[in-house]
PDB file of all heavy atoms in Angstrom:
ATOM      1  N   GLY A  85     -20.244-115.283 155.205  1.00  0.00           N
ATOM      2  CA  GLY A  85     -19.089-114.430 155.279  1.00  0.00           C
ATOM      3  C   GLY A  85     -18.091-114.634 154.134  1.00  0.00           C
ATOM      4  O   GLY A  85     -16.927-114.252 154.273  1.00  0.00           O
ATOM      5  N   VAL A  86     -18.516-115.285 153.032  1.00  0.00           N
ATOM      6  CA  VAL A  86     -17.653-115.427 151.833  1.00  0.00           C
ATOM      7  C   VAL A  86     -17.332-114.079 151.256  1.00  0.00           C
ATOM      8  O   VAL A  86     -18.207-113.200 151.150  1.00  0.00           O
ATOM      9  CB  VAL A  86     -18.371-116.349 150.803  1.00  0.00           C
ATOM     10  CG1 VAL A  86     -17.584-116.407 149.502  1.00  0.00           C
ATOM     11  CG2 VAL A  86     -18.542-117.759 151.411  1.00  0.00           C
ATOM     12  N   PRO A  87     -16.053-113.778 150.866  1.00  0.00           N
ATOM     13  CA  PRO A  87     -15.684-112.489 150.292  1.00  0.00           C
ATOM     14  C   PRO A  87     -16.575-112.171 149.087  1.00  0.00           C
ATOM     15  O   PRO A  87     -16.915-112.978 148.298  1.00  0.00           O
ATOM     16  CB  PRO A  87     -14.232-112.696 149.837  1.00  0.00           C
ATOM     17  CG  PRO A  87     -13.751-113.828 150.679  1.00  0.00           C
ATOM     18  CD  PRO A  87     -14.900-114.707 151.022  1.00  0.00           C
ATOM     19  N   ASP A  88     -16.839-110.799 148.930  1.00  0.00           N
ATOM     20  CA  ASP A  88     -17.806-110.315 147.899  1.00  0.00           C
ATOM     21  C   ASP A  88     -17.374-110.808 146.506  1.00  0.00           C
ATOM     22  O   ASP A  88     -18.238-111.155 145.695  1.00  0.00           O
ATOM     23  CB  ASP A  88     -17.806-108.789 147.939  1.00  0.00           C
ATOM     24  CG  ASP A  88     -18.581-108.295 149.069  1.00  0.00           C
ATOM     25  OD1 ASP A  88     -19.238-109.098 149.797  1.00  0.00           O
ATOM     26  OD2 ASP A  88     -18.568-107.094 149.371  1.00  0.00           O
ATOM     27  N   ASP A  89     -16.072-110.765 146.205  1.00  0.00           N
ATOM     28  CA  ASP A  89     -15.610-111.190 144.836  1.00  0.00           C
ATOM     29  C   ASP A  89     -16.047-112.607 144.537  1.00  0.00           C
ATOM     30  O   ASP A  89     -16.490-112.889 143.459  1.00  0.00           O
ATOM     31  CB  ASP A  89     -14.077-111.066 144.774  1.00  0.00           C
ATOM     32  CG  ASP A  89     -13.614-109.652 144.574  1.00  0.00           C
ATOM     33  OD1 ASP A  89     -14.557-108.770 144.535  1.00  0.00           O
ATOM     34  OD2 ASP A  89     -12.393-109.425 144.509  1.00  0.00           O
ATOM     35  N   ASP A  90     -15.805-113.497 145.552  1.00  0.00           N
ATOM     36  CA  ASP A  90     -16.160-114.921 145.387  1.00  0.00           C
ATOM     37  C   ASP A  90     -17.666-115.119 145.219  1.00  0.00           C
ATOM     38  O   ASP A  90     -18.133-115.932 144.414  1.00  0.00           O
ATOM     39  CB  ASP A  90     -15.602-115.772 146.499  1.00  0.00           C
ATOM     40  CG  ASP A  90     -14.084-115.885 146.409  1.00  0.00           C
ATOM     41  OD1 ASP A  90     -13.511-115.587 145.317  1.00  0.00           O
ATOM     42  OD2 ASP A  90     -13.476-116.284 147.420  1.00  0.00           O
ATOM     43  N   VAL A  91     -18.409-114.341 145.997  1.00  0.00           N
ATOM     44  CA  VAL A  91     -19.861-114.439 145.937  1.00  0.00           C
ATOM     45  C   VAL A  91     -20.336-114.040 144.590  1.00  0.00           C
ATOM     46  O   VAL A  91     -21.125-114.777 143.933  1.00  0.00           O
ATOM     47  CB  VAL A  91     -20.532-113.501 147.036  1.00  0.00           C
ATOM     48  CG1 VAL A  91     -22.057-113.517 146.818  1.00  0.00           C
ATOM     49  CG2 VAL A  91     -20.219-113.913 148.436  1.00  0.00           C
ATOM     50  N   ALA A  92     -19.778-112.954 144.032  1.00  0.00           N
ATOM     51  CA  ALA A  92     -20.195-112.445 142.707  1.00  0.00           C
ATOM     52  C   ALA A  92     -19.808-113.431 141.671  1.00  0.00           C
ATOM     53  O   ALA A  92     -20.574-113.752 140.704  1.00  0.00           O
ATOM     54  CB  ALA A  92     -19.535-111.131 142.462  1.00  0.00           C
ATOM     55  N   HIS A  93     -18.655-114.049 141.796  1.00  0.00           N
ATOM     56  CA  HIS A  93     -18.131-115.004 140.772  1.00  0.00           C
ATOM     57  C   HIS A  93     -19.034-116.281 140.781  1.00  0.00           C
ATOM     58  O   HIS A  93     -19.496-116.722 139.709  1.00  0.00           O
ATOM     59  CB  HIS A  93     -16.705-115.388 141.112  1.00  0.00           C
ATOM     60  CG  HIS A  93     -16.001-116.147 140.036  1.00  0.00           C
ATOM     61  ND1 HIS A  93     -14.659-116.507 140.125  1.00  0.00           N
ATOM     62  CD2 HIS A  93     -16.436-116.672 138.875  1.00  0.00           C
ATOM     63  CE1 HIS A  93     -14.330-117.213 139.076  1.00  0.00           C
ATOM     64  NE2 HIS A  93     -15.384-117.330 138.283  1.00  0.00           N
ATOM     65  N   VAL A  94     -19.337-116.823 141.933  1.00  0.00           N
ATOM     66  CA  VAL A  94     -20.141-118.038 142.006  1.00  0.00           C
ATOM     67  C   VAL A  94     -21.526-117.782 141.466  1.00  0.00           C
ATOM     68  O   VAL A  94     -22.058-118.544 140.652  1.00  0.00           O
ATOM     69  CB  VAL A  94     -20.218-118.548 143.486  1.00  0.00           C
ATOM     70  CG1 VAL A  94     -21.289-119.647 143.617  1.00  0.00           C
ATOM     71  CG2 VAL A  94     -18.891-119.015 143.983  1.00  0.00           C
ATOM     72  N   SER A  95     -22.102-116.618 141.844  1.00  0.00           N
ATOM     73  CA  SER A  95     -23.392-116.264 141.372  1.00  0.00           C
ATOM     74  C   SER A  95     -23.432-116.093 139.844  1.00  0.00           C
ATOM     75  O   SER A  95     -24.359-116.527 139.215  1.00  0.00           O
ATOM     76  CB  SER A  95     -23.752-114.955 142.128  1.00  0.00           C
ATOM     77  OG  SER A  95     -24.945-114.475 141.706  1.00  0.00           O
ATOM     78  N   ARG A  96     -22.365-115.529 139.278  1.00  0.00           N
ATOM     79  CA  ARG A  96     -22.235-115.322 137.827  1.00  0.00           C
ATOM     80  C   ARG A  96     -22.194-116.681 137.190  1.00  0.00           C
ATOM     81  O   ARG A  96     -22.813-116.907 136.142  1.00  0.00           O
ATOM     82  CB  ARG A  96     -21.088-114.484 137.535  1.00  0.00           C
ATOM     83  CG  ARG A  96     -21.050-113.809 136.179  1.00  0.00           C
ATOM     84  CD  ARG A  96     -20.054-112.743 136.063  1.00  0.00           C
ATOM     85  NE  ARG A  96     -18.644-113.228 136.257  1.00  0.00           N
ATOM     86  CZ  ARG A  96     -17.802-112.752 137.200  1.00  0.00           C
ATOM     87  NH1 ARG A  96     -18.189-111.824 138.023  1.00  0.00           N
ATOM     88  NH2 ARG A  96     -16.570-113.261 137.286  1.00  0.00           N
ATOM     89  N   ILE A  97     -21.416-117.636 137.707  1.00  0.00           N
ATOM     90  CA  ILE A  97     -21.320-118.962 137.117  1.00  0.00           C
ATOM     91  C   ILE A  97     -22.697-119.620 137.080  1.00  0.00           C
ATOM     92  O   ILE A  97     -23.084-120.114 136.032  1.00  0.00           O
ATOM     93  CB  ILE A  97     -20.295-119.813 137.918  1.00  0.00           C
ATOM     94  CG1 ILE A  97     -18.882-119.321 137.759  1.00  0.00           C
ATOM     95  CG2 ILE A  97     -20.395-121.255 137.439  1.00  0.00           C
ATOM     96  CD1 ILE A  97     -17.882-120.018 138.556  1.00  0.00           C
ATOM     97  N   ILE A  98     -23.366-119.543 138.190  1.00  0.00           N
ATOM     98  CA  ILE A  98     -24.699-120.242 138.227  1.00  0.00           C
ATOM     99  C   ILE A  98     -25.667-119.582 137.201  1.00  0.00           C
ATOM    100  O   ILE A  98     -26.375-120.256 136.553  1.00  0.00           O
ATOM    101  CB  ILE A  98     -25.324-120.113 139.657  1.00  0.00           C
ATOM    102  CG1 ILE A  98     -24.430-120.888 140.632  1.00  0.00           C
ATOM    103  CG2 ILE A  98     -26.774-120.686 139.711  1.00  0.00           C
ATOM    104  CD1 ILE A  98     -24.746-120.650 142.080  1.00  0.00           C
ATOM    105  N   ARG A  99     -25.593-118.283 137.107  1.00  0.00           N
ATOM    106  CA  ARG A  99     -26.476-117.553 136.146  1.00  0.00           C
ATOM    107  C   ARG A  99     -26.103-117.952 134.725  1.00  0.00           C
ATOM    108  O   ARG A  99     -27.000-118.262 133.926  1.00  0.00           O
ATOM    109  CB  ARG A  99     -26.354-116.073 136.351  1.00  0.00           C
ATOM    110  CG  ARG A  99     -27.322-115.315 135.455  1.00  0.00           C
ATOM    111  CD  ARG A  99     -27.221-113.804 135.625  1.00  0.00           C
ATOM    112  NE  ARG A  99     -27.623-113.303 136.955  1.00  0.00           N
ATOM    113  CZ  ARG A  99     -26.792-112.888 137.893  1.00  0.00           C
ATOM    114  NH1 ARG A  99     -25.475-112.830 137.614  1.00  0.00           N
ATOM    115  NH2 ARG A  99     -27.200-112.457 139.068  1.00  0.00           N
ATOM    116  N   SER A 100     -24.854-117.957 134.388  1.00  0.00           N
ATOM    117  CA  SER A 100     -24.435-118.268 133.003  1.00  0.00           C
ATOM    118  C   SER A 100     -24.792-119.661 132.636  1.00  0.00           C
ATOM    119  O   SER A 100     -25.233-120.008 131.516  1.00  0.00           O
ATOM    120  CB  SER A 100     -22.927-118.070 132.731  1.00  0.00           C
ATOM    121  OG  SER A 100     -22.373-117.109 133.608  1.00  0.00           O
ATOM    122  N   ILE A 101     -24.581-120.597 133.575  1.00  0.00           N
ATOM    123  CA  ILE A 101     -24.860-121.956 133.268  1.00  0.00           C
ATOM    124  C   ILE A 101     -26.352-122.096 133.072  1.00  0.00           C
ATOM    125  O   ILE A 101     -26.825-122.773 132.096  1.00  0.00           O
ATOM    126  CB  ILE A 101     -24.364-122.909 134.369  1.00  0.00           C
ATOM    127  CG1 ILE A 101     -22.802-122.935 134.443  1.00  0.00           C
ATOM    128  CG2 ILE A 101     -24.878-124.353 134.154  1.00  0.00           C
ATOM    129  CD1 ILE A 101     -22.286-123.876 135.439  1.00  0.00           C
ATOM    130  N   GLY A 102     -27.129-121.450 133.879  1.00  0.00           N
ATOM    131  CA  GLY A 102     -28.595-121.504 133.762  1.00  0.00           C
ATOM    132  C   GLY A 102     -29.081-120.874 132.491  1.00  0.00           C
ATOM    133  O   GLY A 102     -29.810-121.502 131.722  1.00  0.00           O
TER     134      GLY A 102
END
Side-chain angles (χ1 to χ4, degrees):
V86 172
D88 287 350
D89 282 0
D90 287 343
V91 174
H93 190 177
V94 170
S95 176
R96 200 164 61 238
I97 292 173
I98 297 170
R99 185 181 294 106
S100 330
I101 293 182

